Amino acid sequence: MCVHSGTSIVLRRALAYSDGKQDLAISNANGVGIMLGNGDGSFQLQPTLLKGRTDFLVAGDFNGDGNPDLAAVGTIPSGAEVSIYLGNGDGTLQPAKNGWIRDHVSPGGAATADFNGDGNLDLAVTLGGAFAILLGDGDGGFQPPSFHPGTGWMPMAVDVDGNGTPDLIFLTPAGIEITLNER
Protein backbone atom coordinates (compact mmCIF):
# COMPACT_ATOMS: atom_id res chain seq x y z
CA MET A 1 0.00 0.00 0.00
CA CYS A 2 1.34 3.43 -0.86
CA VAL A 3 0.27 6.41 1.24
CA HIS A 4 1.17 10.00 0.33
CA SER A 5 1.61 12.31 3.30
CA GLY A 6 2.95 15.78 2.56
CA THR A 7 6.46 15.52 1.20
CA SER A 8 6.95 11.94 2.37
CA ILE A 9 5.72 8.71 0.94
CA VAL A 10 5.32 5.87 3.36
CA LEU A 11 5.12 2.28 2.28
CA ARG A 12 3.20 0.30 4.85
CA ARG A 13 3.10 -3.44 5.40
CA ALA A 14 5.06 -4.10 2.26
CA LEU A 15 8.48 -4.82 3.67
CA ALA A 16 8.80 -7.83 5.96
CA TYR A 17 12.20 -9.45 6.19
CA SER A 18 13.13 -12.82 7.66
CA ASP A 19 12.35 -11.62 11.19
CA GLY A 20 8.65 -11.29 10.26
CA LYS A 21 8.39 -7.73 11.59
CA GLN A 22 6.84 -5.04 9.41
CA ASP A 23 9.34 -2.46 8.13
CA LEU A 24 8.89 0.90 6.41
CA ALA A 25 10.44 2.61 3.41
CA ILE A 26 10.06 6.38 3.53
CA SER A 27 10.79 8.81 0.75
CA ASN A 28 11.15 12.57 0.55
CA ALA A 29 13.24 15.13 -1.34
CA ASN A 30 16.43 13.84 0.33
CA GLY A 31 16.08 10.21 -0.71
CA VAL A 32 14.75 6.91 0.63
CA GLY A 33 15.22 5.56 4.12
CA ILE A 34 14.50 2.08 5.43
CA MET A 35 13.13 1.80 8.96
CA LEU A 36 13.31 -1.70 10.44
CA GLY A 37 10.41 -2.64 12.69
CA ASN A 38 11.06 -3.58 16.30
CA GLY A 39 7.81 -5.54 16.50
CA ASP A 40 6.28 -3.22 19.10
CA GLY A 41 5.14 -0.38 16.83
CA SER A 42 8.48 1.40 16.89
CA PHE A 43 11.14 1.51 14.19
CA GLN A 44 14.89 2.01 13.87
CA LEU A 45 16.16 4.20 11.04
CA GLN A 46 18.94 2.60 9.06
CA PRO A 47 22.01 4.78 8.52
CA THR A 48 22.12 4.30 4.74
CA LEU A 49 19.74 6.50 2.79
CA LEU A 50 19.36 6.13 -0.93
CA LYS A 51 20.01 9.60 -2.32
CA GLY A 52 17.91 11.40 -4.91
CA ARG A 53 14.38 12.65 -5.25
CA THR A 54 11.77 9.93 -5.15
CA ASP A 55 8.10 10.74 -5.63
CA PHE A 56 6.59 7.26 -5.24
CA LEU A 57 7.62 3.88 -3.83
CA VAL A 58 6.18 0.43 -4.44
CA ALA A 59 7.47 -2.83 -3.03
CA GLY A 60 7.46 -6.30 -4.49
CA ASP A 61 9.71 -9.25 -5.17
CA PHE A 62 10.94 -8.16 -8.61
CA ASN A 63 13.62 -10.84 -8.94
CA GLY A 64 11.85 -13.82 -7.38
CA ASP A 65 14.34 -14.43 -4.55
CA GLY A 66 11.75 -14.07 -1.77
CA ASN A 67 13.16 -10.75 -0.52
CA PRO A 68 11.19 -7.50 -0.80
CA ASP A 69 12.57 -5.07 -3.38
CA LEU A 70 11.70 -1.40 -3.96
CA ALA A 71 10.75 0.45 -7.12
CA ALA A 72 11.37 4.18 -6.66
CA VAL A 73 9.74 6.47 -9.21
CA GLY A 74 11.08 9.99 -9.31
CA THR A 75 11.41 13.21 -11.23
CA ILE A 76 14.79 14.12 -12.65
CA PRO A 77 15.70 17.23 -14.66
CA SER A 78 14.96 15.53 -17.99
CA GLY A 79 11.77 13.67 -16.97
CA ALA A 80 10.65 10.61 -15.01
CA GLU A 81 12.87 7.74 -13.91
CA VAL A 82 12.33 4.34 -12.28
CA SER A 83 15.01 2.91 -10.01
CA ILE A 84 14.86 -0.68 -8.80
CA TYR A 85 16.55 -1.50 -5.50
CA LEU A 86 16.84 -5.25 -4.97
CA GLY A 87 16.51 -6.28 -1.33
CA ASN A 88 19.13 -8.38 0.43
CA GLY A 89 16.63 -9.76 2.94
CA ASP A 90 18.14 -8.00 5.94
CA GLY A 91 16.83 -4.45 5.53
CA THR A 92 19.57 -3.38 3.13
CA LEU A 93 19.22 -2.78 -0.58
CA GLN A 94 21.57 -3.26 -3.52
CA PRO A 95 22.57 -0.26 -5.67
CA ALA A 96 19.82 0.90 -7.98
CA LYS A 97 19.13 -0.34 -11.46
CA ASN A 98 17.90 2.81 -13.21
CA GLY A 99 15.71 3.05 -16.23
CA TRP A 100 14.30 6.03 -18.08
CA ILE A 101 10.58 6.19 -18.63
CA ARG A 102 9.76 9.42 -20.39
CA ASP A 103 11.30 12.83 -20.99
CA HIS A 104 9.71 16.10 -19.85
CA VAL A 105 6.98 14.64 -17.59
CA SER A 106 6.58 14.03 -13.89
CA PRO A 107 5.24 10.77 -12.52
CA GLY A 108 1.86 10.68 -10.80
CA GLY A 109 2.03 7.32 -9.06
CA ALA A 110 3.03 3.69 -9.41
CA ALA A 111 1.55 0.24 -8.81
CA THR A 112 2.81 -3.29 -9.21
CA ALA A 113 1.10 -6.52 -10.27
CA ASP A 114 1.62 -9.32 -12.80
CA PHE A 115 -0.23 -7.61 -15.65
CA ASN A 116 0.65 -10.11 -18.40
CA GLY A 117 0.36 -13.35 -16.42
CA ASP A 118 3.94 -14.56 -16.87
CA GLY A 119 4.61 -14.88 -13.12
CA ASN A 120 6.85 -11.77 -12.94
CA LEU A 121 5.86 -8.53 -11.24
CA ASP A 122 5.32 -5.60 -13.59
CA LEU A 123 5.03 -1.86 -12.96
CA ALA A 124 2.39 0.68 -13.93
CA VAL A 125 3.48 4.34 -13.74
CA THR A 126 1.28 7.35 -14.47
CA LEU A 127 2.87 10.12 -16.51
CA GLY A 128 0.94 13.31 -17.28
CA GLY A 129 -1.93 12.21 -19.55
CA ALA A 130 -0.72 8.64 -20.00
CA PHE A 131 0.45 5.61 -18.11
CA ALA A 132 3.28 3.23 -18.83
CA ILE A 133 3.41 -0.52 -18.27
CA LEU A 134 6.87 -1.94 -17.69
CA LEU A 135 6.88 -5.73 -17.94
CA GLY A 136 9.19 -7.41 -15.43
CA ASP A 137 11.81 -9.91 -16.59
CA GLY A 138 11.95 -11.83 -13.28
CA ASP A 139 15.55 -10.76 -12.60
CA GLY A 140 14.76 -7.27 -11.29
CA GLY A 141 14.80 -5.64 -14.73
CA PHE A 142 12.02 -4.45 -17.00
CA GLN A 143 11.29 -4.36 -20.70
CA PRO A 144 10.95 -0.96 -22.38
CA PRO A 145 7.65 0.66 -21.39
CA SER A 146 4.47 0.55 -23.44
CA PHE A 147 2.43 3.75 -23.19
CA HIS A 148 -1.36 3.99 -22.91
CA PRO A 149 -3.72 7.00 -22.75
CA GLY A 150 -5.08 7.94 -19.35
CA THR A 151 -5.76 11.05 -17.29
CA GLY A 152 -5.47 9.69 -13.77
CA TRP A 153 -2.77 9.38 -11.14
CA MET A 154 -2.08 7.20 -8.06
CA PRO A 155 -2.81 3.85 -9.75
CA MET A 156 -4.03 0.82 -7.81
CA ALA A 157 -3.88 -2.70 -9.23
CA VAL A 158 -7.16 -4.50 -8.44
CA ASP A 159 -9.14 -7.23 -10.21
CA VAL A 160 -12.22 -5.06 -10.79
CA ASP A 161 -14.09 -7.36 -13.19
CA GLY A 162 -13.36 -10.65 -11.37
CA ASN A 163 -11.61 -12.39 -14.28
CA GLY A 164 -8.43 -13.17 -12.33
CA THR A 165 -6.28 -10.46 -13.96
CA PRO A 166 -5.21 -7.18 -12.31
CA ASP A 167 -6.92 -4.07 -13.66
CA LEU A 168 -5.92 -0.48 -12.90
CA ILE A 169 -7.90 2.13 -11.00
CA PHE A 170 -6.69 5.74 -11.20
CA LEU A 171 -7.76 8.84 -9.30
CA THR A 172 -8.96 11.69 -11.53
CA PRO A 173 -10.34 15.19 -10.91
CA ALA A 174 -13.83 13.76 -11.60
CA GLY A 175 -13.45 10.65 -9.40
CA ILE A 176 -11.86 7.46 -10.71
CA GLU A 177 -10.85 5.97 -14.04
CA ILE A 178 -10.76 2.20 -14.56
CA THR A 179 -8.66 0.45 -17.17
CA LEU A 180 -9.53 -3.22 -17.59
CA ASN A 181 -6.76 -5.68 -18.30
CA GLU A 182 -7.62 -7.51 -21.53
CA ARG A 183 -4.70 -9.90 -21.54
Side-chain angles (χ1 to χ4, degrees):
M1 173 183 285
C2 188
V3 178
H4 191 279
S5 173
T7 60
S8 296
I9 297 166
V10 180
L11 192 62
R12 298 186 303 164
R13 298 178 45 107
L15 299 176
Y17 296 101
S18 59
D19 64 5
K21 298 172 186 169
Q22 295 297 318
D23 305 313
L24 298 176
I26 300 176
S27 171
N28 60 32
N30 297 319
V32 177
I34 303 297
M35 298 176 70
L36 297 180
N38 294 321
D40 61 1
S42 65
F43 297 87
Q44 44 186 309
L45 181 62
Q46 296 302 292
T48 303
L49 292 177
L50 309 171
K51 301 296 183 190
R53 179 177 169 180
T54 298
D55 299 309
F56 301 95
L57 293 171
V58 291
D61 185 3
F62 297 116
N63 62 350
D65 65 358
N67 297 323
D69 308 314
L70 282 179
V73 180
T75 304
I76 57 174
S78 61
E81 179 181 47
V82 173
S83 299
I84 304 298
Y85 297 93
L86 299 178
N88 295 317
D90 60 0
T92 62
L93 301 169
Q94 297 174 26
K97 294 182 176 184
N98 293 336
W100 297 96
I101 291 187
R102 195 165 213 175
D103 293 338
H104 310 296
V105 296
S106 294
T112 186
D114 181 8
F115 295 112
N116 64 347
D118 65 357
N120 300 323
L121 281 182
D122 309 314
L123 284 173
V125 179
T126 57
L127 302 160
F131 67 93
I133 298 291
L134 292 86
L135 298 177
D137 64 11
D139 291 323
F142 293 86
Q143 296 177 18
S146 61
F147 296 97
H148 310 273
T151 59
W153 63 92
M154 296 299 294
M156 295 175 285
V158 179
D159 183 9
V160 176
D161 56 5
N163 68 354
T165 61
D167 306 305
L168 287 169
I169 300 175
F170 304 93
L171 298 178
T172 70
I176 63 169
E177 178 181 307
I178 298 173
T179 299
L180 298 177
N181 186 342
E182 298 177 6
R183 102 177 132 165

